[in-house]
């Protein structure tokens, strides 16, 4: 899910900073440019950690800055299909729960939470079972599997990650602990 990658990219250094083109300056400029950006192959750039090499600057016609190619290390987030993740419920809606997994949220559709019917309680921001005492709400820790992934590079917030918790070993952490403590209840 999280990876360290050695990357190359070009960064524009504004004229006011040309007297001090340092690794720290290039790192800040790369962070401003890349953090949060999604790429189908790379995932999302979480942060730039270290700049290793800064090439010679190039001037482009009608552009005020100088462009430098830099080689640097970055931490990326790339959720993989079928990967099991732990996350926290950040929002509950009538059709499911959004689970925070790193810098993005995944959707745990109501049909993928339990075999039981789950009723939506808008006032308390939770889904509750009518058959058992199971309740899923904001702040609950869950374990789920990534079953769909659609990355939108132009608008990362529109990327969609689908989750399931209907397999053995998946679900709300509290439910998993209860099942481990009382295996006959299954």
């Amino acid at each position: 899910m999280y990876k360290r990658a050695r990357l190359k990219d070009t960064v524009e250094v504004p004229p006011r900073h040309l007297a001090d083109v340092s690794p720290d300056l290039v790192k800040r400029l790369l962070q401003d440019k890349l953090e949060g950006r999604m790429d189908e192959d790379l995932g999302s750039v979480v942060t730039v950690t270290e700049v290793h090499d800064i090439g010679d600057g190039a001037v482009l016609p009608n552009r005020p800055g100088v462009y430098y190619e830099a080689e640097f290390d970055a931490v990326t987030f790339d959720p993989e299909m079928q990967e099991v993740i732990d996350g926290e419920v950040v929002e509950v809606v009538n059709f499911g729960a959004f689970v925070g997994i790193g810098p993005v949220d995944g959707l745990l559709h109501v049909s993928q939470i339990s075999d039981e019917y789950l009723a939506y309680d808008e006032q308390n921001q939770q889904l509750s079972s009518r058959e058992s005492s199971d309740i899923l709400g904001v702040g609950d820790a869950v374990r789920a599997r990534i079953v769909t992934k659609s990355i939108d590079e132009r608008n990362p917030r529109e990327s969609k990650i689908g989750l399931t918790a209907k397999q053995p070993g998946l679900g709300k952490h509290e439910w998993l602990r209860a099942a481990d403590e009382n295996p006959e209840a299954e």
Side-chain angles (χ1 to χ4, degrees), residues 23 32 42 44 55 60 66 97 103 105 116 120 132 134 137 151 175:
D32 289 344
L42 186 61
S44 175
L60 298 178
V66 177
D105 296 339
E116 299 176 12
Y120 174 57
S132 66
D134 290 348
I151 302 299
W175 302 340

Side-chain angles (χ1 to χ4, degrees), residues 17-89:
H17 294 296
L18 289 175
D20 180 35
V21 179
S22 66
D24 286 339
L25 171 68
V26 171
K27 178 180 173 182
R28 283 194 315 273
L29 293 170
L30 285 166
Q31 286 171 332
D32 289 344
K33 177 182 177 182
L34 300 175
E35 287 180 2
R37 187 178 84 176
M38 283 283 221
D39 179 273
E40 185 68 39
D41 299 321
L42 186 61
S44 175
V45 175
V46 177
T47 191
V48 173
T49 58
E50 183 179 355
V51 174
H52 296 287
D53 186 41
I54 302 170
D56 295 332
V59 178
L60 298 178
N62 300 320
R63 300 298 303 234
V66 177
Y67 293 82
Y68 292 88
E69 185 171 292
E71 184 175 328
F72 56 95
D73 287 339
V75 174
T76 64
F77 174 82
D78 186 18
E80 296 182 16
M81 292 293 292
Q82 305 307 321
E83 183 173 9
V84 174
I85 57 91
D86 285 305
E88 181 178 308
V89 175

